[in-house]
Amino acid sequence: MSDTLTWFAQLPRSQSIFTPPFGPFFVLLLLQKTLVSDWLTGNKVGGNNNGITWCLCALRVGRTPRSRTKVTMNVGTAHSEVNPNTRVMNSRGMWLSYILGIGLLHIILLSIPFASVPVVWTLTNLIHNLCMYLLLHMVKGTPFETPDQGKARLLTHWEQMDYGVQFTASRKFLTITPIVMYILTSFYTKYDRIHFVVNTVSLLTVLIPKLPQLHGVRIFGINKY
Amino acid sequence: MNFKNLREYLAWLYYQYLLITGIYVLEPWEKSIFNSILFSAIAMVVYTSYVFVPIHVRLALEFFSGIFGGQHSTMKH
């Protein structure tokens, strides 16, 4: 079974909307992970990896013979990455899933009956920036053991990204999305004064920690250990 | 996989849902809370789409037909 898989995965792939930077839609991933993976592997119990590899190959998201910086599907296999956190934001489908996640949040907030459109946009902006701050600039270390003797234990995820190299593609992308969100929110709130103050403060909390000058900086020792 | 009937298939789908969302590991009452919140959110989204999507689609079509018809379309959002 695995020989067929490697043979199939090595077939040359043409470009399609499923190759980076768009990546596969994670809904599609979810579907095939549940329904199709078991059907393909013939298992009675909940599925394993092989179905995923099959389906993603079938959807033409296998490795493409390109020479520029590749994003490989190294899922569930051995790798030599010292700290996988550094590469997680460059993974295939991550940017698209992020945008779709924001869209999903926005749609759910829009469905609240008593919320007006400006309030919904401000809420989307606030919740997005809050989650971004908590996940990227507050939580430190890794959920797994790393062979780097604890270098990453005191670093937030933003500081761990790409081993501290500044202005990489993912860093730029994650800096620009809050700004675009802010611009959209300002428009849809009709530049109301209170919404402006709230959204600007929220944007600052998410932009300032991303500055290179604040790499590894802990103001007043907050969040140092 | 051999599913004897629809009930078995739906039970398997629910099992997959529990696994993927991770609530498989939670207590039954925690599962209920999560399911209630998720179900309410989905119900709200479906209801809102049902009410508003036709209106928005009609407005969009009117707006774009204005370009081809050459008339001014007065839009009030």
Side-chain angles (χ1 to χ4, degrees), chain A residues 30 34-35 38 43-44 46 111, chain B residues 1 12-13 16 20 45 48:
Chain A
L30 188 73
T34 56
L35 300 174
D38 282 293
N43 287 342
K44 283 202 189 310
S111 312
Chain B
M1 289 173 62
W12 177 80
L13 274 183
Q16 294 294 319
I20 287 200
V45 171
T48 309

Side-chain angles (χ1 to χ4, degrees), chain A residues 49-198:
Chain A
N49 296 356
N50 293 335
I52 299 174
T53 324
W54 266 109
C55 290
L56 289 174
C57 290
L59 289 171
R60 312 176 72 131
V61 294
R63 290 183 289 284
T64 57
R66 289 175 295 134
S67 54
R68 55 186 164 102
T69 29
K70 27 48 256 180
V71 184
T72 50
M73 282 297 296
N74 217 4
V75 180
T77 58
H79 58 86
S80 56
E81 189 64 64
V82 165
N83 185 5
N85 263 355
T86 56
R87 288 201 320 169
V88 100
M89 286 301 172
N90 308 331
S91 312
R92 179 169 293 198
M94 192 57 78
W95 290 13
L96 181 65
S97 308
Y98 171 57
I99 300 291
L100 289 181
I102 298 178
L104 186 66
L105 166 72
H106 190 60
I107 287 182
I108 292 182
L109 286 176
L110 273 174
S111 312
I112 300 177
F114 48 81
S116 68
V117 171
V119 163
V120 162
W121 273 97
T122 302
L123 270 180
T124 309
N125 196 28
L126 287 184
I127 294 176
H128 165 260
N129 289 350
L130 181 72
C131 292
M132 183 180 248
Y133 181 78
L134 289 179
L135 291 175
L136 287 188
H137 301 292
M138 192 144 135
V139 173
K140 300 196 299 289
T142 60
F144 33 74
E145 276 293 327
T146 51
D148 63 351
Q149 299 182 348
K151 278 200 195 81
R153 265 186 224 139
L154 296 177
L155 296 179
T156 61
H157 191 269
W158 178 260
E159 290 159 353
Q160 287 176 40
M161 267 171 67
D162 296 308
Y163 291 106
V165 174
Q166 297 296 324
F167 306 117
T168 61
S170 296
R171 282 182 187 241
K172 286 188 281 200
F173 176 70
L174 288 171
T175 315
I176 290 177
T177 356
I179 296 176
V180 169
M181 284 285 310
Y182 175 74
I183 293 174
L184 287 169
T185 307
S186 308
F187 172 72
Y188 280 106
T189 58
K190 301 186 175 56
Y191 309 101
D192 172 78
R193 193 166 296 221
I194 301 179
H195 285 264
F196 164 72
V197 170
V198 162

